[in-house]
Amino acid sequence: GSMSLHWSLSTGCRSLHINEDNGRFLLLAVLIIVYLLCGAAVFSAIERPSELRAHGRWNRTLLNFSDTFNISLQDLSSFLKEYEAAIAAGVRVDALRPRWDFTGAFYFVGTVVSTIGFGMTTPVTVAGKVFLIFYGLLGCAATILFFNLFLERIITLLAVVMKAVRLRRLRTSGLLPPGICQDFAASTLPGWKPSVYHVMLILGLSAIVISCCASAMYTPVEGWAYLDSLYFCFVTFSTIGFGDLVSSQNAAYGYQGLYRLANFIFILTGVCCIYSLFNVISIVIKQVLNWMLEKMSCSCCQHCNKANTFLGRRNAIRPGSRLRRGRFGRTPDSDGPRDSDTEGRRLSGEMISMRDLTGSNKISLAIMQKQLSESANGYPRTVCGSSRQNGFSGGVGALGIMNNRLAETSDSR
């Protein structure tokens, strides 16, 4: 009974470590669901009263218009449906730029491949919809690759700059002699990598500066309030793209060419910066998930360790302990063959469990065979145990790019 309990507890602990990635995934899914529920409750409490007031005002407006011009509500509703279809085709009361000339189409494909998708321009023909499916498939994939390459280079650039600043601080504080060359000084910090919190702070400040500068341009040109301009910048840079506010849609602007170029540059740099910031924040979220999993598994591991300690002491051999008689009545001092190798080792008084000894020998033999095989094939694979324990080993996409580039995802942790 005790052996079966030991086996079940040890198996449970092993499965907990093996399924750590799955546990992190499930925990994140639960937290996202809770986050969505909380967000829905907050937005419903904030926006629902305004929606009800807007419905009331609109119903009163319809009734007044119907009574004033002697038009039935049914005819008025039919007219409004036609106007909604016209809006979907790009027709507005105010004069707007053409949607499907070359510059308008270029603006549209930019929102497609960047996954912003404002929605103010959509294809209405069957050929346009079919072409959009294939065009967006390749364009979105290429743009995501561009964002990942941008992330890789911005992380490398920040690491170089922050390392140079660190060396300068060491030199000004007197810890580094002033006559040492830059290459030798850089080699004095071979394992140094920037902290994810410093990178997140720099990217966050950069995103704020870009958004504030872009909002200062949109406010006078588009006629928006400054807070609405900031709202537009976040919705656009994060590729949410609601479409309630869209820049560069009027028929004419003062300095139109310069404004549209600045608009393109702001959107491009803002999207790249926010994309990098989101991925760095995901590293922090993953750290929080690792901490939560560690706390959740602490109690289970404590029970497993207590069980292993108790049962390990029962199986371990202690010097001077009295050994029971064998199955055939022999004592350990009697001549003749012993029952097993375990019986022989018990005479030596080793403080070791045979189960642990056998398991460690099998693991060591498997590791040695794996290393010999990889060395013979000429492509040894480096598997970092510390990064696995840190929860940042491997990874794909942006997580794979940031793996071992930041202090919190480094092998040394």
Side-chain angles (χ1 to χ4, degrees):
S2 60
M3 292 302 296
S4 62
L5 176 62
H6 173 263
W7 180 83
S8 62
L9 289 175
S10 60
T11 304
C13 290
R14 285 197 301 269
S15 63
L16 179 63
H17 291 293
I18 292 173
N19 297 326
E20 181 181 358
D21 292 335
N22 293 333
R24 189 183 300 112
F25 171 77
L26 293 176
L27 179 59
L28 179 60
V30 171
L31 292 178
I32 288 177
I33 293 174
V34 173
Y35 192 75
L36 292 175
L37 294 175
C38 295
V42 172
F43 279 111
S44 178
I46 294 175
E47 298 294 336
R48 182 59 177 170
S50 177
E51 180 187 19
L52 295 177
R53 290 193 298 268
H55 275 288
R57 288 194 303 267
W58 177 246
N59 290 331
R60 290 192 297 271
T61 302
L62 285 180
L63 290 175
N64 292 333
F65 189 88
S66 176
D67 294 338
T68 302
F69 296 97
N70 195 19
I71 301 175
S72 65
L73 290 177
Q74 184 177 0
D75 294 338
L76 186 57
S77 299
S78 299
F79 175 77
L80 292 176
K81 289 180 181 179
E82 293 293 335
Y83 179 66
E84 290 176 355
I87 290 178
V91 179
R92 295 291 193 278
V93 175
D94 298 328
L96 298 179
R97 60 183 292 181
R99 296 297 177 90
W100 293 110
D101 63 347
F102 182 79
T103 56
F106 185 81
Y107 194 90
F108 166 74
V109 296
T111 62
V112 170
V113 299
S114 63
T115 69
I116 296 176
F118 285 125
M120 80 291 181
T121 303
T122 56
V124 295
T125 62
V126 176
K129 293 177 181 179
V130 172
F131 179 72
L132 175 64
I133 294 174
F134 295 98
Y135 184 84
L137 182 66
L138 181 61
C140 292
T143 305
I144 290 175
L145 176 61
F146 174 80
F147 288 158
N148 286 332
L149 294 178
F150 177 85
L151 173 63
E152 183 178 5
R153 278 148 183 78
I154 197 66
I155 294 295
T156 303
L157 176 62
L158 291 177
V160 172
V161 173
M162 294 172 67
K163 191 171 185 178
V165 172
R166 183 178 177 86
L167 289 173
R168 183 179 180 85
R169 288 182 178 178
L170 291 176
R171 188 177 287 108
T172 54
S173 62
L175 299 177
L176 203 64
I180 296 181
C181 63
Q182 184 70 20
D183 294 337
F184 178 78
S187 64
T188 58
L189 299 173
W192 184 88
K193 293 176 182 177
S195 172
V196 65
Y197 302 105
H198 295 160
V199 174
M200 182 174 63
L201 178 62
I202 294 174
L203 289 175
L205 292 176
S206 301
I208 292 174
V209 170
I210 295 174
S211 299
C212 291
C213 293
S215 299
M217 180 187 69
Y218 292 135
T219 298
V221 176
E222 297 289 348
W224 299 336
Y226 190 78
L227 182 59
D228 290 337
S229 299
L230 286 174
Y231 161 80
F232 165 77
C233 288
F234 175 77
V235 170
T236 303
F237 297 166
S238 60
T239 70
I240 296 174
F242 289 129
D244 51 346
L245 294 176
V246 182
S247 62
S248 187
Q249 293 302 300
N250 293 335
Y253 292 95
Y255 304 100
Q256 181 167 291
L258 181 61
Y259 169 66
R260 289 181 175 173
L261 177 62
N263 179 55
F264 173 78
I265 293 175
F266 273 127
I267 291 179
L268 178 63
T269 55
V271 169
C272 292
C273 186
I274 291 294
Y275 176 83
S276 302
L277 179 62
F278 282 171
N279 283 283
V280 173
I281 292 176
S282 68
I283 294 294
V284 179
I285 294 176
K286 198 170 185 181
Q287 284 185 310
V288 175
L289 293 176
N290 292 336
W291 176 80
M292 294 177 67
L293 285 176
E294 182 181 357
K295 294 299 182 181
M296 291 169 62
S297 62
C298 182
S299 59
C300 178
C301 290
Q302 286 178 354
H303 291 303
C304 292
N305 292 333
K306 289 180 180 179
N308 290 335
T309 303
F310 173 73
L311 295 173
R313 287 176 179 173
R314 290 188 56 181
N315 295 330
I317 307 303
R318 297 168 179 79
S321 61
R322 294 185 59 185
L323 299 178
R324 294 178 296 178
R325 291 181 176 269
R327 183 171 52 182
F328 301 102
R330 297 189 187 94
T331 62
D333 297 331
S334 61
D335 297 332
R338 299 179 178 88
D339 279 322
S340 62
D341 181 64
T342 305
E343 187 74 19
R345 286 184 176 271
R346 286 181 177 179
L347 294 177
S348 63
E350 295 178 12
M351 291 293 293
I352 187 172
S353 169
M354 289 303 301
R355 181 185 297 272
D356 295 337
L357 178 62
T358 305
S360 62
N361 287 337
K362 288 181 180 179
I363 294 174
S364 300
L365 180 60
I367 293 176
M368 183 175 65
Q369 289 175 345
K370 183 174 182 293
Q371 292 174 347
L372 290 175
S373 174
E374 291 176 343
S375 300
N377 292 325
Y379 52 92
R381 297 176 59 190
T382 303
V383 179
C384 178
S386 61
S387 63
R388 167 61 64 182
Q389 295 174 0
N390 200 24
F392 290 98
S393 63
V396 295
L399 288 179
I401 290 174
M402 290 186 290
N403 185 34
N404 278 334
R405 290 180 179 270
L406 301 172
E408 284 75 12
T409 64
S410 177
D411 298 354
S412 59
R413 285 181 62 85

